[in-house]
Amino acid sequence: ERAAHRDSAAQRFVLSYFNRRNIQGSNAFTADRTTTSASVVELNTEIRSEFLTWDDEAVSVSICGAYSYTGNLGWIATGLGIDGTTITQQQDDIANGANDRLGIGLSVAVSLSRGYHYVTLLGYVQTAGNTATWYSSDAVSTSKCRTWVMIRG
């Protein structure tokens, strides 16, 4: 029996080699995500945008949303990761007050090998034990953390 093809916003697994077109994918957090880690972590796998790509096409990946820091003053970072916890592009911010909400906007075009890949949101804090939160709703402006991918196939 043949397996069903998966092609949804979160999993772009159907491509055409000869009739290529732009295909967009995205995914988002369903709950606020936090970390107290001073080293890079993937906040939750649910935000991954998974996709297939050809090795002769550039892929555009991005993340957006908002995060905050619990405390009076602190440094926090959000990273865009492709296929793991190595940061491809990073945004650093200093929160000036407790729960100061900061916007996230990272985007990059990359060339990848043919096959399966994913983009994810990574984060960490300057001092272990301090807490940073990445948001899952648009309660204040466009705060929902989301990953995006644009492929051709």
Side-chain angles (χ1 to χ4, degrees):
E1 183 176 328
R2 191 171 160 202
H5 294 290
R6 286 192 201 146
D7 194 41
S8 66
Q11 295 180 316
R12 292 301 184 190
F13 292 162
V14 177
L15 301 179
S16 171
Y17 186 81
F18 294 105
N19 297 307
R20 297 184 194 190
R21 71 213 187 283
N22 290 334
I23 302 170
Q24 178 182 321
S26 68
N27 211 350
F29 284 143
T30 59
D32 292 353
R33 303 298 177 184
T34 63
T35 190
T36 58
S37 176
S39 57
V40 178
V41 295
E42 182 178 23
L43 297 172
N44 193 288
T45 60
E46 76 170 343
I47 200 166
R48 289 181 180 179
S49 288
E50 300 173 287
F51 59 95
L52 299 176
T53 189
W54 306 113
D55 55 1
D56 61 349
E57 294 278 0
V59 175
S60 177
V61 293
S62 59
I63 56 176
C64 64
Y67 61 160
S68 68
Y69 183 83
T70 303
N72 292 326
L73 180 65
W75 176 86
I76 53 180
T78 296
L80 185 150
I82 300 172
D83 298 338
T85 57
T86 299
I87 292 178
T88 302
Q89 193 172 59
Q90 179 171 310
Q91 176 178 321
D92 303 326
D93 287 298
I94 295 176
N96 294 319
N99 298 313
D100 189 14
R101 196 173 288 232
L102 305 163
I104 301 165
L106 296 169
S107 184
V108 66
V110 293
S111 294
L112 300 169
S113 61
R114 179 177 61 202
Y116 171 83
H117 299 279
Y118 67 88
V119 60
T120 191
L121 191 148
L122 308 170
Y124 64 101
V125 296
Q126 179 182 19
T127 306
N130 292 339
T131 302
T133 302
W134 285 258
Y135 293 100
S136 63
S137 72
D138 287 329
V140 177
S141 186
T142 53
S143 300
K144 182 177 236 174
C145 290
R146 182 174 296 280
T147 56
W148 298 92
V149 62
M150 179 68 75
I151 58 174
R152 298 218 0 110

